[in-house]
């Protein structure tokens, strides 16, 4: 829960969409302190999906959250 930076680059991700899970765990409760997410050098191409899937993050609209390129 204290993770502030997540390096997730170079993984050939094409999508961030995950099927709905009945775990009862909110994604926001898993990464409440995330301030920086590196998705550099993946195969993500749908900006609408990226924004939608990561909207739960506390700083989702902060320009400093994403490092995409």
């Amino acid at each position: 829960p204290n993770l502030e930076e997540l390096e997730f680059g170079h993984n050939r991700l094409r999508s961030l969409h995950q099927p709905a899970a009945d775990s009862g765990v909110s994604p926001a409760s898993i990464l409440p302190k995330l301030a920086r997410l590196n998705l550099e050098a993946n195969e993500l191409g749908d900006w609408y999906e990226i924004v939608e899937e990561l909207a739960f993050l506390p700083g989702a609209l902060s320009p400093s959250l994403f490092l995409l390129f």
Side-chain angles (χ1 to χ4, degrees), residues 5-9 15 17 21 23 36 52-53 61-62 69:
E5 293 189 20
L6 179 58
E7 297 291 330
F8 217 66
S15 174
H17 180 73
S23 66
R36 184 164 184 254
E52 183 177 309
E53 294 298 323
L61 298 178
S62 168
F69 303 104

Side-chain angles (χ1 to χ4, degrees), residues 13-29:
L13 296 176
R14 293 184 181 175
S15 174
L16 297 177
H17 180 73
Q18 293 183 337
D22 292 327
S23 66
V25 177
S26 163
S29 68

Side-chain angles (χ1 to χ4, degrees), residues 36-58:
R36 184 164 184 254
L37 174 60
N38 179 358
L39 295 172
E40 179 183 15
N42 280 294
E43 298 173 12
L44 301 169
D46 185 343
W47 281 100
Y48 291 107
E49 177 191 334
I50 293 168
V51 171
E52 183 177 309
E53 294 298 323
L54 299 179
F56 70 88
L57 295 172

